[in-house]
Amino acid sequence: MGIDRRSVVRRHNPRYGEIDIQSPLSVGNGEITHTVDVTGLQTLYGLYTEVPLCTQCQTLWHTFPREDVPPADRSSLRPVMVKSHGRDIPYYIDGRGQEEDFDWLRKNAHRPNLFRLSLETDGGPGEEIPRHIAQELDLYSGIIHSSFAMGKDRFSVKTACHPHRNTVATEIGVGNLSGRTWHVVLRFPYGDPGMGGSDWKRGERHRTGIRKITPDEVVLERIMDNCRYLVGLRTNGVIDYERTSGHQLCLKIPGGGETFGLCLTVGRDDEDLSRGDCERLFQASEAHWREYWEKGGMIDLSGSTDPRAGELERRTILSQYLTAIQCSGSLPPQETGLTCNSWFGKFHLEMHYWHAAHFPLWNRPSLLERSMGWYLRHKGMARDLARSQGFQGLRWPKMTDPACYDSPSNIGPLIIWQQPHPIMYAELLYRCAPEKSTLERYGDMVFGTAQFMADFVQYNPMTGRYNLGPGLIPAQENHHYSRAVNPTFELEYWNWGLRTACLWKRRMNLTPDPLWEEVLRRLAPLPRSPEGYLAHRDCPDTFRKFNYDHPS
């Protein structure tokens, strides 16, 4: 008997009867994510300080200029020469004496918050906290349903995102109006590298211009330094709007019980702006999420007697929704997806695995493939990074941005456990599509990645073994780079990655690199003690003094 997938998914719909500032709901498609409060908009923006209410997308990044100083690049920094097996390797890991350049490069480029959309009355924010709240995210359709009262006025709001465009839709139903005039207010901030991606104080640093006006559409042009984008507004009737400041528009909600529908699209060019309406967007969302849940893997633990089963199922379903809307886009995701800025909105390649490697395992390989183009486009940058440190092959940085620059950090440049990830992704995709075209698409990436791995290990003639380190920081980031040798996780992952790269050579009727096979034969053994595997070879106190941070 088959699984009733709709029932499984919907029994885990998030539902709120009150404000929860730590868990706002989001809609998205992997390229854009729109996060809302209990009003289905971003009305209570000021309350949500821990998880801010943002709208962010993959393609738009902001870099703020430096006053009277040219932009920094890596060549303007002084590296630290890290000794590894008699070699000095440059790493940008110390900002002392060069704080301004160091910090500027860490914070730029960053993701901006694109806009704020809120419900307000009589030209100003509503003073009331919403009452009679009933909000539900229908996971099976990707639509958030919100109902609430503001004073004597009652509202019902639907919120969704188009599955294939940077378009979000809000449909507002108004009942029992007390005579006040309500507006949907659209505001634009200046970009900021902080969690909220917004600087609301520097209005003079950016520009919001009206590019086009028709009875049912307004197109705005946004310019923030090097970041330019268009915002298209469409309603289900004649737009009644007022520009109340340089970066703010008020859209009047009609009375008389009419439903007010607003579609808001973000794009770089006019061709990116959708001409669709709310109803068609909601239909597209329903069709997309129905197909998403009905295809691919599914889990139903309702028959289990284990008391943990329900919570495991809930987390599994919610994770599949969240990673689809946050982490399935054209770039590797940042640690907080597209909800808000962690680490200035940059993405950490070691975390890409946790966000997206599961997609092929649930038979949704296309959702991982979307971001694989980034690796293929930046093989040159990865090769330059390796070459600058005296290595061959492709070295993938830890903390980076769309341009694949290695961000300076006192830890990041020394972390290596992201290095085999591209081999893992390619292997997972090959298992879904074991075809020549898969091998040809990812072969150079796999082999270049393995080439660096084989060059990075160091041979010790005294032991006849190849070692990892010193000169690295393990996944558990509380070990000093000068003392960490043969960390267990990285050592085993190196073994797996080189073996898989050799397997890819054979699949393509090529001879495996002799060095790769030599390294595999002589790779150092995993460090162990009677207590278990050690964090690294010279860490006997793994389970007493180093049992904190994020153990691998």
Side-chain angles (χ1 to χ4, degrees), residues 170-411:
T170 299
E171 188 176 83
I172 303 174
V174 182
N176 301 325
L177 281 180
S178 61
R180 290 186 293 180
T181 301
W182 287 91
H183 301 84
V184 173
V185 180
L186 177 65
R187 291 185 176 87
F188 297 101
Y190 184 62
D192 186 84
M195 286 288 286
S198 306
D199 184 339
W200 297 100
K201 297 179 180 179
R202 298 191 180 186
E204 77 285 355
R205 297 288 294 269
H206 58 121
R207 184 165 68 85
T208 305
I210 295 181
R211 178 164 172 159
K212 175 183 176 182
I213 300 176
T214 68
D216 64 349
E217 182 181 28
V218 175
V219 176
L220 304 171
E221 183 178 43
R222 295 275 300 133
I223 299 176
M224 295 187 297
D225 306 314
N226 68 326
C227 181
R228 173 193 170 277
Y229 61 100
L230 302 179
V231 179
L233 293 81
R234 287 182 59 83
T235 67
N236 58 343
V238 175
I239 297 180
D240 186 355
Y241 79 94
E242 178 183 4
R243 186 169 183 176
T244 52
S245 76
H247 306 296
Q248 177 174 304
L249 258 67
C250 289
L251 305 169
K252 184 178 179 182
I253 299 175
E258 297 180 43
T259 298
F260 176 77
L262 171 65
C263 282
L264 202 148
T265 304
V266 175
R268 292 184 178 276
D269 303 297
D270 290 325
E271 293 75 17
D272 297 332
L273 302 185
S274 170
R275 299 285 305 173
D277 57 32
C278 285
E279 188 57 37
R280 280 188 283 181
L281 187 147
F282 290 129
Q283 292 171 359
S285 178
E286 291 175 359
H288 167 77
W289 285 103
R290 180 172 60 249
E291 181 179 31
Y292 177 83
W293 292 114
E294 292 296 334
K295 294 183 178 179
M298 177 54 66
I299 188 169
D300 180 1
L301 300 180
S302 59
S304 174
T305 58
D306 191 310
R308 300 169 296 179
E311 178 63 9
L312 176 60
E313 183 185 282
R314 185 185 75 89
R315 294 187 186 202
T316 302
I317 296 299
L318 290 181
S319 293
Q320 290 192 66
Y321 175 80
L322 287 170
T323 52
I325 71 169
Q326 305 274 6
C327 311
S328 66
S330 55
L331 295 177
Q334 61 169 315
E335 293 191 22
T336 47
L338 293 167
T339 295
C340 57
N341 281 346
S342 55
W343 306 106
F344 320 117
K346 295 187 178 182
F347 33 94
H348 290 194
L349 292 188
E350 86 279 20
M351 303 307 295
H352 191 189
Y353 181 95
W354 307 117
H355 290 261
H358 64 88
F359 286 130
L361 300 175
W362 290 89
N363 201 24
R364 298 187 180 104
S366 63
L367 299 187
L368 171 61
E369 284 180 305
R370 292 177 183 175
S371 57
M372 292 306 294
W374 182 88
Y375 291 90
L376 299 179
R377 290 192 303 273
H378 290 98
K379 289 184 294 184
M381 287 291 290
R383 194 175 301 280
D384 289 345
L385 176 59
R387 187 181 295 120
S388 72
Q389 298 170 340
F391 297 112
Q392 299 182 55
L394 310 178
R395 181 169 196 173
W396 301 104
K398 177 231 195 288
M399 177 176 167
T400 185
D401 60 15
C404 197
Y405 284 104
D406 187 14
S407 294
S409 163
N410 62 340
I411 291 177

Side-chain angles (χ1 to χ4, degrees), residues 471-489:
L472 59 84
I473 292 179
Q476 188 179 8
E477 298 173 8
N478 57 2
H479 301 276
H480 196 271
Y481 64 81
S482 65
R483 296 187 290 273
V485 178
N486 293 335
T488 294
F489 179 83

Side-chain angles (χ1 to χ4, degrees), residues 426-464:
E427 176 65 13
L428 291 172
L429 293 172
Y430 179 80
R431 293 178 188 182
C432 291
E435 301 164 358
K436 181 180 178 181
S437 60
T438 306
L439 297 172
E440 291 175 342
R441 176 168 172 77
Y442 297 115
D444 286 347
M445 179 193 71
V446 168
F447 302 147
T449 299
Q451 186 181 27
F452 170 82
M453 293 167 63
D455 199 28
F456 186 76
V457 295
Q458 298 291 327
Y459 182 68
N460 184 341
M462 300 293 292
T463 62

Side-chain angles (χ1 to χ4, degrees), residues 90-148:
Y91 289 97
Y92 298 94
I93 56 175
D94 191 347
R96 289 176 296 182
Q98 50 185 350
E99 289 84 359
E100 187 173 348
D101 284 356
F102 199 88
D103 290 344
W104 189 90
L105 285 166
R106 277 178 60 76
K107 293 178 180 178
N108 291 282
H110 51 261
R111 293 186 197 267
N113 177 27
L114 301 180
F115 57 80
R116 174 193 172 189
L117 204 58
S118 59
L119 180 67
E120 301 184 7
T121 182
D122 300 326
E127 297 179 359
E128 304 88 355
I129 295 295
R131 299 178 297 109
H132 307 302
I133 295 167
Q135 185 177 56
E136 179 175 0
L137 166 57
D138 180 13
L139 299 168
Y140 198 75
S141 66
I143 299 174
I144 299 174
H145 300 266
S146 311
S147 64
F148 56 94

Side-chain angles (χ1 to χ4, degrees), residues 19 37-39 42-48 53 116 128-130:
I19 297 170
D37 58 34
V38 293
T39 68
Q42 298 160 328
T43 307
L44 309 177
Y45 184 91
L47 291 181
Y48 287 73
L53 305 177
R116 174 193 172 189
E128 304 88 355
I129 295 295

